[in-house]
Amino acid sequence: EEALSRFREYEARHPQGRQIILALFQEAEILFELDQLEDGLAVLDRIQTGEAAESLKLQARLLGVQRAIDHGETGIASDRLLAEPWRASTMPEVAVLAFAALELGDRLMEGGRYADAVRAYRLVPPRNELITLQRDRLQGLKNRMEQSGSSIGTAGTSFWASFYRGMIDRIEHQLAALEGADDYTSSLILRRAQAFLLAGRPREAWLLCEYLALDEQLDPELREDAHYRWILAAGNLERWEDALAIARDFVTRHPSSERAPEAFYSMAQAHLEQRRLPEAEEVLNDLINRFPEHRLHARFLFLRGYVRTVQERFAAGRIDFEECRDSYPDDPLYLNCGLWHALIWFFERDYACLLYTS
C-alpha cells in the first residue's frame, strides 16, 4: 500500500515525466498483487491509450492478458487477447504472447468457446518459427540499447536502462527455455484441429488431422488421436465413403487402440448412410466378436439387430434384441430393444406372439 501511494504521488507530480510509463507498470503490478485486478487493468489501459511507444502499449496489453489469466478471468483475458490484431513486428516478448494464447485457447475449449479458441491458437507460431522470432526481438532490443545511448540511459541508475535490461534478461531466459523444451508444434496442430472440428469447421479439421495422422515421424499416440478425429471430420462432412476408408485405415494402423471399436462403429454407420446393409452387418459382426466387453456393446447389438430387421432377417434381429435386453437391463436402450422385439412379430404378422410377448 505504501509503495502504491508513492507511485501515485510521483504520477501526480510528474504527469508528463519520462518515467511515468514505468511508474504506471509498477502501479499496475502492485494492484495485481493486492488482488485488485480491475484497478490494475485500468492502469494498463492508461498506457495503451496514452502516448507510449507502440511496443510498450503491446507490453501493457499482454500484461493485462497474463494477469487476467492468473486471476482465472478467462472472459476478460480473451477479450484483451482477441480484441484486435497483434503487431508482431513491435511485440518484444513474443514467447510470452504465444504461451498465453496457448493456455487461453485451452481454457476457451474447456468453456465451449471453440471459435474463440481457434483464434487464440492461431496466435501461437510453430516452435522453430517462435525461436527465430524471439532471437530477432532479443537482438533488436540489444541493438536499441547500444544505439540509443542516453535516450534510454547508460548510467546504472537509469530507470529506462533497468527496464530494458530486465526485458532482455526475461527474453533470454524465455529463449533458453524454449530451445531446451520439446517441440510443441504437432500438439498445437492437433489442438487447432479439435477446435475447428467443434467449431463446425470440419474441412479445416480434416486437413490438419490428415497431415498429422500420416506423418510417420510423429509420436504414435498423437497420430492415433489425429487419425480418429480425421474420421469424425469426414463424418461431419457426410463424406461417408471417405469416412469408411479412413476408419479402415485406422484399424489397420492402430489395431490395438482403445478407439478401434469406435472406428469400427464409425465404419458401420458410414455403410448405413450409404444403405449398404450387408456391409454394415459384416462390420458389426466383427465389432461384436472382437470387443465383447466394450462399454458400448449393448449399442452394437442393438444396431446389428436393427440392420438385420431392416433386411427382413427377422429371426436374427430378434436374437440381437433379446440378447441386448437380457444382458443389459440397466442400459438406456432396454425399452427400445423391447419395442423392436415386439415390432418384429408385427412385421411377420404373427399377432398372437405379439400379444403374448407384449
Side-chain angles (χ1 to χ4, degrees), residues 53-105:
E54 186 65 26
S55 61
L56 295 174
K57 291 182 178 181
L58 291 174
Q59 283 295 111
R61 182 181 169 196
L62 177 57
L63 182 59
V65 172
Q66 289 179 276
R67 296 300 174 259
I69 292 175
D70 294 342
H71 283 74
E73 296 289 348
T74 300
I76 295 174
S78 62
D79 287 345
R80 288 178 171 265
L81 182 76
L82 305 175
E84 57 184 288
W86 291 83
R87 288 171 286 279
S89 59
T90 54
M91 181 70 237
E93 297 188 72
V94 287
V96 175
L97 172 61
F99 287 108
L102 185 62
E103 180 177 353
L104 191 54

Side-chain angles (χ1 to χ4, degrees), residues 199-211:
R201 299 171 62 178
R203 193 172 304 279
E204 292 97 327
W206 170 307
L207 294 173
L208 295 178
C209 288
E210 180 181 17
Y211 165 76

Side-chain angles (χ1 to χ4, degrees), residues 15 24 26 42 45 47 56 74 120 126 129 141 144 159 172 174 216 223 239 255 260 262 274 283 318 323 352:
L24 290 174
Q26 293 295 331
D45 288 342
I47 299 175
L56 295 174
T74 300
E129 181 181 335
L141 281 173
R144 183 174 179 182
F159 288 125
E172 286 178 334
Q174 294 160 13
E216 301 284 351
R223 292 177 56 224
R239 292 174 57 170
E262 296 174 39
Q274 295 293 319
V283 173
R318 184 183 296 115
E323 182 180 352

Side-chain angles (χ1 to χ4, degrees), residues 11-270:
E11 293 164 22
R13 290 182 177 181
H14 309 282
Q16 305 300 323
R18 294 182 59 202
Q19 283 79 38
I20 188 65
I21 301 300
L22 301 183
L24 290 174
F25 272 113
Q26 293 295 331
E27 180 182 343
E29 287 286 30
I30 292 172
L31 288 167
F32 295 138
E33 290 179 10
L34 294 173
D35 205 26
Q36 298 179 30
L37 177 64
E38 186 176 341
D39 291 339
L41 294 176
V43 173
L44 293 179
D45 288 342
R46 290 173 58 190
I47 299 175
Q48 289 182 245
T49 58
E51 301 298 324
E54 186 65 26
S55 61
L56 295 174
K57 291 182 178 181
L58 291 174
Q59 283 295 111
R61 182 181 169 196
L62 177 57
L63 182 59
V65 172
Q66 289 179 276
R67 296 300 174 259
I69 292 175
D70 294 342
H71 283 74
E73 296 289 348
T74 300
I76 295 174
S78 62
D79 287 345
R80 288 178 171 265
L81 182 76
L82 305 175
E84 57 184 288
W86 291 83
R87 288 171 286 279
S89 59
T90 54
M91 181 70 237
E93 297 188 72
V94 287
V96 175
L97 172 61
F99 287 108
L102 185 62
E103 180 177 353
L104 191 54
D106 291 346
R107 293 193 184 188
L108 290 168
M109 288 288 287
E110 292 172 1
R113 294 177 55 185
Y114 306 124
D116 285 339
V118 169
R119 296 175 62 199
Y121 288 143
R122 280 179 166 168
L123 293 172
V124 187
R127 175 177 174 271
N128 290 340
E129 181 181 335
L130 181 56
I131 288 175
T132 299
L133 287 170
Q134 192 79 337
R135 285 175 179 162
D136 290 345
R137 298 302 179 275
L138 179 60
Q139 190 58 52
L141 281 173
K142 288 181 176 179
N143 291 342
R144 183 174 179 182
M145 283 286 292
E146 293 173 0
Q147 295 171 5
S148 298
S150 60
S151 65
I152 292 180
T154 56
T157 57
S158 166
F159 288 125
W160 281 107
S162 177
F163 176 81
Y164 281 107
R165 286 187 186 118
M167 187 181 296
I168 288 172
D169 287 343
R170 290 197 304 273
I171 294 177
E172 286 178 334
H173 282 99
Q174 294 160 13
L175 180 58
L178 190 58
E179 290 173 331
D182 294 335
D183 192 347
Y184 61 82
T185 304
S186 298
S187 175
L188 169 64
I189 295 173
L190 186 59
R191 282 177 164 97
R192 287 177 178 168
Q194 178 68 351
F196 276 129
L197 191 61
L198 295 176
R201 299 171 62 178
R203 193 172 304 279
E204 292 97 327
W206 170 307
L207 294 173
L208 295 178
C209 288
E210 180 181 17
Y211 165 76
L212 294 173
L214 300 182
D215 189 341
E216 301 284 351
Q217 304 300 315
L218 298 180
D219 175 71
E221 185 175 341
L222 185 142
R223 292 177 56 224
E224 175 189 324
D225 198 357
H227 203 141
Y228 181 72
R229 297 180 195 283
W230 185 14
I231 299 170
L232 299 180
N236 286 358
L237 287 167
E238 298 185 357
R239 292 174 57 170
W240 304 114
E241 289 280 359
D242 290 319
L244 185 59
I246 297 166
R248 283 174 174 161
D249 188 43
F250 178 92
V251 174
T252 299
R253 292 174 183 266
H254 310 283
S256 60
S257 168
E258 293 182 358
R259 285 178 167 170
E262 296 174 39
F264 272 106
Y265 190 65
S266 296
M267 290 167 59
Q269 289 181 312

